[in-house]
Amino acid sequence: MTDTSTAGRTVLQRRQDDAPTSGAEQAVPITVARGDGIGPEIMDATLRVLRAAGARIDPEFIDIGEAVYQRGHSAGIEPSAWESLRRTKVFLKAPITTPQGGGFKSLNVTVRKTLGLYANVRPCVAYAPFVPTRHPGMDVVIIRENEEDLYGGIEHRQTDDVVQCLKLISRPGCERLIRYAFEYARRNGRRKVTCFTKDNIMKLTDGLFHQVFDEVAADYPDLTAEHWIVDIGAAKLADTPETFDVIVTLNLYGDILSDVAAQIAGSVGLAGSANIGDEVAMFEAIHGSAPRRAGQDLANPSGLLLAAVMMLAHIGQGDIAARVHNAWLAAIESGAATYDIAAEGGPSLGTTAFADAVIQRLGQEPTTLTPVSYQRSSAPQAAPAARPVAAAATKAMDGVDVFLHHRDVTADDLAELLQRATDATWLKLQMITNRGVKVWPAGLPETFCTDHWRARFTAAWPGGASRSHVIDLLHRLDRAGLDFVKTEGLYSFDGRPGYSLGQGQ
Ligand code: NAD
């Protein structure tokens, strides 16, 4: 019955009962992975509901997860699976178990990045009074940037004491994600888009995201646009989530906040998500493989089923998406509940019986909860067009930041060493910081210092530095036995400094 795998090889195989559904419209090929733990049970339940609802889909199965990791594929996916994904461009994925220990790459991060799935869309909806929640009016969609930020995985140990992780934010990356969020809001009858950043601290990286948000918002005057600093915004989201509508944010903040939002809406077991790219889209529940619940017919299939609803809308089967979603809402309203959302002491259904309860209600709409509708045959939400790229800015070099590994030295002593070594260079020592705090000139003895120093060297006037000056400087530092571990050019773009002042602001 299941997809067949032989060592080192994934065999794509259609199961008998997954044969293409008949009907006037051609079935859409989709790639399906049944995953690990509770994955196979909730996937089977989900596909059974989709078939009963008349979904025009033609699933083909690939192997991912634990067994594939164990066969030596470090990202839990085999080369042959990419062929299916690139052909069908639609991936319905059950959760997998990530092996413990080093040497394994996250399957999700690999799939997102390899296929350019730049937007992660996660609706977090309360179903009060049928699923207990403190926030009965909550209906928030979090749209998270999916490829950039600290998730680039570019990390280095630079000294005995200090490691770093590089946060990369690009203008095109911000723009297509933010434009997607506004398009999503418009298309789904939403009224407000809220941006969360920490641009009071990270003025260049988060500042770029905020700036692009403001630029894109100007193209959507029909929608309200607002910005919150992420810490107070997160507090407000946890306290009064009903005041938010669509939230768009960077990768790390979105990762954390979308779990918080799903949990306070009722249960992480209820939320589905979509990962959208220009070509391919992936749909999955937000929870993991819950290995302790596996094989007991206990797990809640709702998160995956609601992800499949998003998939149906994405492939232009809005009629079936609404049919499944409304039947699910009607089932929830009737008291159908798996153990995780059942009222305390109340009866609960297993995975199979819960899916049956949804199937029995196909064609019905909820009466207390709000029924949903999707456009009948909307084309997949296309990648929003970006603005034409602005002409390249005039870039000039003002100096260089040199990062040094030096133990057991004071800031004043280090300044003396650096000045002696670079006495005859064009670039002059302007400042030393330690973990971003200025320690020379005029540092305070109270400042705790590590073995990781940044020395800023600048030319006598803005734009007066060159790569040759930097090379000359580094030669001299090397000859003086100073251990520089990294450099960052100080560039201005059209006369505006492209670097922070670096005084722990
Ligand atoms: P988890 O989400 O799998 O489970 C946490 C707990 O939540 C479970 O013990 C269970 O009580 C409950 N739960 C989760 N889903 C449920 C459902 N559908 N029905 C009923 N109860 C449910 O998180 P975890 O235990 O931290 O992770 C288990 C494995 O899943 C790990 O290997 C982790 O790496 C992996 N994981 C995979 C994905 C993915 O594939 N997208 C996402 C998260 C975690």
Side-chain angles (χ1 to χ4, degrees), residues 251-313:
N251 204 341
L252 175 62
Y253 312 141
D255 191 1
I256 298 165
L257 287 181
S258 56
D259 268 21
V260 172
Q263 184 64 33
I264 64 173
S267 165
V268 282
L270 294 182
S273 72
N275 291 265
I276 306 288
D278 287 343
E279 295 286 331
V280 183
M282 173 172 85
F283 302 85
E284 63 176 347
I286 69 164
H287 58 74
S289 60
R292 282 190 305 126
R293 309 286 180 185
Q296 299 162 57
D297 193 34
L298 278 177
N300 189 345
S302 298
L304 187 59
L305 185 64
L306 293 179
V309 165
M310 295 168 86
M311 177 192 77
L312 290 171

Side-chain angles (χ1 to χ4, degrees), residues 38-39 41-43 45-47 49-50 91-95 121-125 127 262 267-274 282-288 299-311 324-325 328 332 338 340-341 351 354 358:
I38 60 170
E41 297 158 64
I42 60 173
M43 183 58 84
T46 297
L47 291 176
V49 175
L50 298 195
F91 188 16
L92 183 61
K93 172 182 165 290
V121 182
R122 187 180 287 189
C124 300
V125 185
Y127 304 100
S267 165
V268 282
L270 294 182
S273 72
M282 173 172 85
F283 302 85
E284 63 176 347
I286 69 164
H287 58 74
N300 189 345
S302 298
L304 187 59
L305 185 64
L306 293 179
V309 165
M310 295 168 86
M311 177 192 77
V324 172
H325 201 158
W328 180 83
I332 291 286
T338 42
D340 55 316
I341 53 169
T351 313
F354 183 86
V358 177

